[in-house]
Amino acid sequence: MLIQQPQGRRERKKAETRRAMADAALRLFALRGFDAVTVNEVAEAADVSAKTVFNHFPTKEQLFFEHEPLLAGDPAEVVRQRPPGGRVLVALSRLLRAEPTGDLALFGRIHRDSETLRAYGRELFAARERALAEALVEEAGGDLRPRILAVAALGPLRQVWESILLEAAERVPPAEAVARGVRMLEETYAVLGGAFESLLHHRAPAAHHAPPVPEEHSRALRGERPSIRRVAELAGVSATTVSHTLNRRRPVAEETRQRVLQAIEELGYRPNVLARGLRTSRSQTIGLIIPDITNPFYPALARGLQDVLGPEGYDQIISNTDGVRRTEQAAIEHMIARQVDGLAFAVFHTHAEDLLPVIEAGIPVVRLGGRLVQHGVDLVHSDDEGGGAEATRYLLGCGYRRIAFVCGPAAEGPAAERVAGYRAALAEAGAPADQALVAHTHFSRAGGAEGVARLLELAEPPDALLCANDVMAIGALDEAARRGLRVPEDLAVMGFDDIDAAGMVSPGLTTMANPAREIGQATAVRLLERLREAIDEPSTELVVPARLVRRQSA
């Protein structure tokens, strides 16, 4: 006879299963990035079927947003349940949790590094706008007004929500990020407040019955773009002073600068990039070509570029090539067609002749990696050879003698420099440099596992591994665990880059810190110097040192 579980117990079991799946997914997202993880992998990690995952989470994005740490409820329900006479914006301003749940910084980093998640977040807020508009219909009637008010209310909330996540992702203390975000939201809602409530509760058709709406609020509600002239009027300065404050080409007194910035904030002014481009013959965009956007090193590098370029009014166009030369060539042509003002790219197979069209177009170029000296091209890269040598010396100093290197599919790009450093350090120590100990594979977690598997099948397997990047090293840890090997007792493992996940895996990954963000910042500075014609040399090189980070894996 089938005995049915009580309803309460079934619901608790479902909740536990749902939480287990979401927790397993978050661990995988933290380790590899949201876009690289499949639902099947989540199911395996949570010890359930893929069908069970889809039953609870119809889209993969919902697995991530199950851990959403900042919003304390649904805007529409918050508005419906506010006390009689309570103001809508006051109720909405309390949606942000003063003390976020979970790991806000981790949530922010995963969200920041995935365009898929950022797009899904925008879709969620769009759905919340529709639901809030339906709730406001009950008070304002069924005309267009509730929809306009919902957008006006949730637009600032979404922007503050995102800004808190981004700040937390950059290791700003969560309490500080949330407090600043709450202040921003309250200040914005204070500006909107009078006009919002008067429009919400005013039902009479005659316009003269309504309380006067300040002109700037009226403009905002009509969707008009605030102009630089309006900023100047509100700040009590000239339009030229506003322009100098924005582009920083002329000094502006600090007190005046603060007045201009306050006016910009109050009006929600955003510079018209298209108009600026027509005046300056620039697109205000910088191209970034990278081999693998799922490798956490490259989003960190892109963030470094944005740290410098964003305040200067530049946007980025990012192209992913998978390290394929033909794709790299096509990406370069695409960037020229998009009329980027400057180009930065992480090289794998691009040859000198591939860059000639960019140089002939007068576009400043920075290569990220390699040693090629080329007229019209600047180099910014980490000390790949020195880092490879230091990592090898460290392993030798720990007593390991048969050290293998898990490399990429070809001897090009930064990994080739790391192999050269590895070989130089072995030769310096008089240790064997067996060619069979260099395994060529893919720059991925699966590739790392595959390369290690081949090395461990050798008649004399290695006692230590140095991997070309951290993602491959994590794959090496996977393979070691699958074979029942203890790390580092049976096999030492080292990576290169020091991505966030390096400190999250078990055992913690010993690695060479390759400061991606600093490299991105240095690249952006060099491009801006070229655009301002501040450098006379035809080519420059900047080397950023790598640094040993000791953890438990070696």
Side-chain angles (χ1 to χ4, degrees), residues 189-500:
Y189 280 172
V191 173
L192 288 176
F196 188 101
E197 297 296 335
S198 65
L199 282 173
L200 176 62
H201 297 296
H202 178 61
R203 296 173 180 266
H208 65 272
H209 290 158
V213 178
E215 174 62 15
E216 284 309 323
H217 300 330
S218 176
R219 288 170 181 265
L221 288 168
R222 291 198 305 266
E224 295 183 16
R225 184 190 185 101
S227 67
I228 195 170
R229 191 176 301 280
R230 286 294 304 133
V231 174
E233 289 174 3
L234 185 59
V237 298
S238 68
T240 303
T241 299
V242 176
S243 179
H244 289 164
T245 301
L246 290 169
N247 61 37
R248 304 184 183 185
R249 293 194 179 123
R250 298 275 182 86
V252 176
E254 182 59 25
E255 188 272 334
T256 303
R257 179 175 171 275
Q258 290 301 325
R259 286 210 318 273
V260 171
L261 293 177
Q262 184 176 349
I264 287 170
E265 185 69 25
E266 287 184 19
L267 294 175
Y269 171 74
R270 294 294 179 270
N272 189 324
V273 176
L274 178 60
R276 182 192 294 174
L278 292 173
R279 291 194 301 273
T280 64
S281 299
R282 288 186 177 171
S283 64
Q284 296 300 122
T285 56
I286 297 293
L288 173 62
I289 300 175
I290 56 177
D292 183 8
I293 201 168
T294 65
N295 183 333
F297 175 83
Y298 293 107
L301 185 145
R303 175 67 194 203
L305 278 164
Q306 189 63 27
D307 288 342
V308 176
L309 296 174
E312 297 295 332
Y314 286 86
D315 290 321
Q316 291 184 60
I317 302 174
I318 300 178
S319 182
N320 185 82
T321 67
D322 295 322
V324 177
R325 185 184 178 194
R326 184 173 297 175
T327 309
E328 290 176 347
Q329 292 170 326
I332 290 169
E333 293 173 1
H334 173 71
M335 295 298 180
I336 296 172
R338 292 292 298 266
Q339 298 182 316
V340 297
D341 295 332
L343 178 63
F345 68 100
V347 299
F348 267 63
H349 304 294
T350 302
H351 297 186
E353 61 268 24
D354 298 334
L355 288 175
L356 292 178
V358 189
I359 297 168
E360 291 168 0
I363 298 172
V365 186
V366 173
R367 290 176 67 117
L368 301 167
R371 284 184 165 183
L372 179 65
V373 176
Q374 184 176 2
H375 188 92
V377 178
D378 294 307
L379 289 174
V380 176
H381 59 93
S382 66
D383 184 5
D384 293 302
E385 184 170 350
E390 184 177 351
T392 306
R393 291 191 198 103
Y394 169 75
L395 291 171
L396 289 166
C398 291
Y400 301 104
R401 284 297 175 268
R402 194 161 171 79
I403 302 170
F405 197 108
V406 183
C407 190
E412 296 188 22
E417 303 295 324
R418 295 169 191 175
V419 172
Y422 153 79
R423 286 178 170 148
L426 288 178
E428 177 186 287
D434 187 347
Q435 182 60 38
L437 290 177
V438 177
H440 290 282
T441 180
H442 300 289
F443 289 106
S444 65
R445 186 174 182 176
E450 176 190 328
V452 174
R454 294 204 307 267
L455 289 167
L456 292 175
E457 295 300 324
L458 293 173
E460 292 184 68
D463 56 2
L465 300 172
L466 177 57
C467 298
N469 65 32
D470 286 342
V471 175
M472 299 171 87
I474 291 169
L477 293 177
D478 292 341
E479 182 63 19
R482 192 181 72 80
R483 291 171 177 255
L485 297 176
R486 298 168 301 161
V487 177
E489 293 85 355
D490 300 324
L491 181 68
V493 177
M494 274 194 73
F496 206 111
D497 285 341
D498 195 30
I499 62 176
D500 285 342

Side-chain angles (χ1 to χ4, degrees), residues 114-131:
S114 171
E115 174 56 34
T116 304
L117 286 177
R118 295 198 299 276
Y120 187 77
R122 291 191 291 271
E123 291 175 9
L124 284 182
F125 270 93
R128 287 166 176 154
E129 284 174 4
R130 292 190 292 271

Side-chain angles (χ1 to χ4, degrees), residues 90-233:
V90 171
L92 292 177
S93 68
R94 293 170 182 161
L95 267 173
L96 290 174
R97 290 189 175 100
E99 296 182 5
T101 61
D103 188 337
L104 183 64
L106 176 62
F107 188 92
R109 286 195 296 272
I110 299 170
H111 178 269
R112 176 198 65 191
D113 295 342
S114 171
E115 174 56 34
T116 304
L117 286 177
R118 295 198 299 276
Y120 187 77
R122 291 191 291 271
E123 291 175 9
L124 284 182
F125 270 93
R128 287 166 176 154
E129 284 174 4
R130 292 190 292 271
L132 179 59
E134 292 173 4
L136 295 178
V137 164
E138 301 165 11
E139 299 183 45
D143 59 11
L144 186 63
R145 189 181 304 128
R147 278 176 273 171
I148 296 173
L149 293 176
V151 172
L154 292 191
L157 181 63
R158 180 177 67 82
Q159 292 173 0
V160 167
W161 178 82
E162 288 180 335
S163 72
I164 292 173
L165 288 182
L166 292 177
E167 286 194 355
E170 297 308 318
R171 295 185 171 83
V172 173
E176 180 182 330
V178 172
R180 184 156 47 233
V182 169
R183 285 198 302 274
M184 287 172 55
L185 188 64
E186 288 175 344
E187 289 168 5
T188 303
Y189 280 172
V191 173
L192 288 176
F196 188 101
E197 297 296 335
S198 65
L199 282 173
L200 176 62
H201 297 296
H202 178 61
R203 296 173 180 266
H208 65 272
H209 290 158
V213 178
E215 174 62 15
E216 284 309 323
H217 300 330
S218 176
R219 288 170 181 265
L221 288 168
R222 291 198 305 266
E224 295 183 16
R225 184 190 185 101
S227 67
I228 195 170
R229 191 176 301 280
R230 286 294 304 133
V231 174
E233 289 174 3

Side-chain angles (χ1 to χ4, degrees), residues 529-549:
E529 288 171 342
R530 286 292 183 191
L531 288 168
R532 293 165 181 167
E533 300 180 353
I535 300 175
D536 295 327
E537 298 94 330
S539 180
T540 66
E541 181 176 10
L542 176 63
V543 180
V544 181
R547 174 177 55 84
L548 177 67
V549 178

